[in-house]
Amino acid sequence: MFKPEIKTKQPFASQFLESALVPGKEKLANSYMLTGSNTMDMYFLALETARILNCSGKTKDCACTSCGWIAQNRHPAVITVSPVDYVHHNKDGKPRTVITIDQARGLKQSLSVSSQYHRVVIFTDAKEGKEYQSHAGPAWQDYKDHISPPVLQNSDSDRESWIPGPLSYKTFHSEPANALLKIIEEPPPGVTFFFLAKDREDMLDTIVSRSQTIPLAYNPEKNLETGILNEFFSKFPPKTREEAVLYSERLMEIAKENSTSPEDLLNLIEKYLVLLIRHNSENSGFCRHAINRLKRLQQAKTELNSYVNPQAVMDSLLIGLAASK
Ligand SMILES: [Zn+2]
């Protein structure tokens, strides 16, 4: 599935998207808003989603054509829309400071033609030019083996100074947004939108209300936390009772290995569930699901505080989560 680099840095967001991409059971939203402080992580997540959706090999180190094109960022299914996008109607080669109405119209036009691919449209701010060259190196450092800046049509030249940045209502105004509302709400088959922003407060309500928000980790440096959470969410939620019991045992081991109490482990997971709910308040179906999980988690914490055997608490929590799926 997703590359280990991003799974370690952004375990929740990776797991969240991966779980929507299970072959044959895809339950992708029309539109995602990724929020947080690292736009490069968001850009990688969007590209990984595009890769999984279009990959024909489905193996770990796949070398199919789609995976290769995504790595070079020249896949026809990936459309990066930014103020320095010269493909969708800023063809004079001059960067803008905002996403223009012409870009919005051009995008609508190109999406109206059907495609053999699952198209992923990524809206992001971006900077490009000599003055950004020194920033671009460190920004791409973590990802240079996997992804690149978007390649321009009919051009092989590298865009070494291109860096994505968070979008806001200042760079994505209501006029181009309004031109796209209908297609974001009801995209043609096989089209998924991504908006990369710092905070949903920075974006137009009309876009927020049509997107599922996925908050990224703000302090991904904390290896202990991400390591634990990554393991927790790699098989979440368990599918059967047997899987739940095995999983619960593994969780207790993880807690022990990291000298963390089961309670702290649950606190960590609770914190993230609360964040997810807060960021998706408009999506009632998603919230109902997440709130149910949260309730089970809080019940487990109460039991731990009442000195119920921790393994038994975990067992019943995980079995409950498996059953509620
Ligand atoms: Zn592939």
Side-chain angles (χ1 to χ4, degrees):
M1 273 289 204
F2 282 16
K3 302 277 185 199
E5 285 81 358
I6 193 69
K7 286 177 87 158
T8 311
K9 279 191 86 178
Q10 299 293 346
F12 285 116
S14 301
Q15 173 59 26
F16 197 92
L17 287 167
E18 274 189 352
S19 69
L21 291 169
V22 177
K25 291 191 249 177
E26 288 92 351
K27 43 180 183 200
L28 275 176
N30 301 336
S31 171
Y32 289 99
M33 181 169 303
L34 307 183
T35 60
S37 55
N38 191 331
T39 320
M40 198 64 97
D41 281 0
M42 298 177 201
Y43 194 63
F44 193 12
L45 282 166
L47 283 177
E48 279 292 273
T49 305
R51 188 177 67 80
I52 302 293
L53 284 166
N54 291 291
C55 171
S56 55
K58 313 283 181 201
T59 56
K60 197 165 147 273
D61 292 306
C62 184
C64 77
T65 317
S66 276
C67 285
W69 283 347
I70 298 267
Q72 298 167 24
N73 209 345
R74 57 168 70 250
H75 201 297
V78 179
I79 304 171
T80 301
V81 182
S82 81
V84 290
D85 152 32
Y86 310 121
V87 179
H88 294 93
H89 288 264
N90 286 348
K91 288 179 179 164
D92 56 6
K94 291 201 184 84
R96 305 289 200 275
T97 52
V98 296
I99 289 172
T100 63
I101 182 81
D102 282 347
Q103 279 175 281
R105 290 194 186 121
L107 176 67
K108 238 165 86 177
Q109 177 79 40
S110 66
L111 291 179
S112 70
V113 182
S114 68
S115 164
Q116 56 171 314
Y117 300 113
H118 189 118
R119 284 172 289 184
V120 169
V121 185
I122 311 169
F123 283 86
T124 180
D125 197 356
K127 300 278 183 256
E128 183 168 40
K130 276 207 178 74
E131 64 269 45
Y132 299 103
Q133 205 119 37
S134 60
H135 299 285
W140 286 95
Q141 180 63 29
D142 288 352
Y143 307 99
K144 61 180 192 309
D145 295 338
H146 304 300
I147 52 166
S148 323
V151 171
L152 297 178
Q153 260 169 356
N154 312 319
S155 155
D156 273 332
S157 69
D158 283 343
R159 301 175 76 187
E160 277 173 359
S161 66
W162 189 91
I163 336 175
L167 203 61
S168 81
Y169 59 85
K170 291 177 190 148
T171 37
F172 189 42
H173 294 166
S174 55
E175 202 190 359
N178 287 344
L180 293 166
L181 289 184
K182 200 163 174 280
I183 204 166
I184 293 169
E185 190 155 339
E186 280 175 58
V191 173
T192 306
F193 293 91
F194 277 90
F195 294 89
L196 316 185
K198 198 163 227 144
D199 193 289
R200 50 187 233 134
E201 308 289 317
D202 290 349
M203 295 291 292
L204 297 166
D205 288 344
T206 48
I207 300 292
V208 175
S209 65
R210 285 168 175 80
S211 306
Q212 191 165 93
T213 303
I214 308 178
L216 270 64
Y218 274 84
N219 292 309
E221 307 78 34
K222 290 182 118 183
N223 284 332
L224 172 71
E225 285 201 6
T226 53
I228 291 177
L229 295 174
N230 198 16
E231 267 210 68
F232 185 86
F233 277 92
S234 65
K235 294 188 192 96
F236 189 82
K239 282 167 204 71
T240 61
R241 198 188 161 87
E242 290 71 31
E243 213 180 289
V245 173
L246 280 176
Y247 191 25
S248 150
E249 283 169 10
R250 177 67 198 126
L251 270 185
M252 291 299 287
E253 279 169 27
I254 295 172
K256 211 177 280 171
E257 284 163 14
N258 292 281
S259 332
T260 300
S261 68
E263 199 180 351
D264 282 345
L265 201 63
L266 297 186
N267 282 336
L268 217 59
I269 297 156
E270 182 182 16
K271 233 167 50 187
Y272 191 77
L273 277 176
V274 169
L275 198 66
L276 270 183
I277 292 166
R278 202 187 305 140
H279 280 75
N280 287 282
S281 51
E282 291 87 358
N283 186 335
S284 56
F286 173 81
C287 284
R288 212 175 320 120
H289 218 66
I291 288 169
N292 278 337
R293 285 175 180 177
L294 193 62
K295 280 188 187 152
R296 286 177 190 276
L297 206 72
Q298 284 162 345
Q299 167 70 20
K301 281 171 61 182
T302 312
E303 289 168 10
L304 279 179
N305 286 331
S306 326
Y307 304 102
V308 179
N309 172 288
Q311 185 71 70
V313 173
M314 287 291 194
D315 282 358
S316 96
L317 169 65
L318 271 298
I319 290 168
L321 287 172
S324 74
K325 227 199 124 198

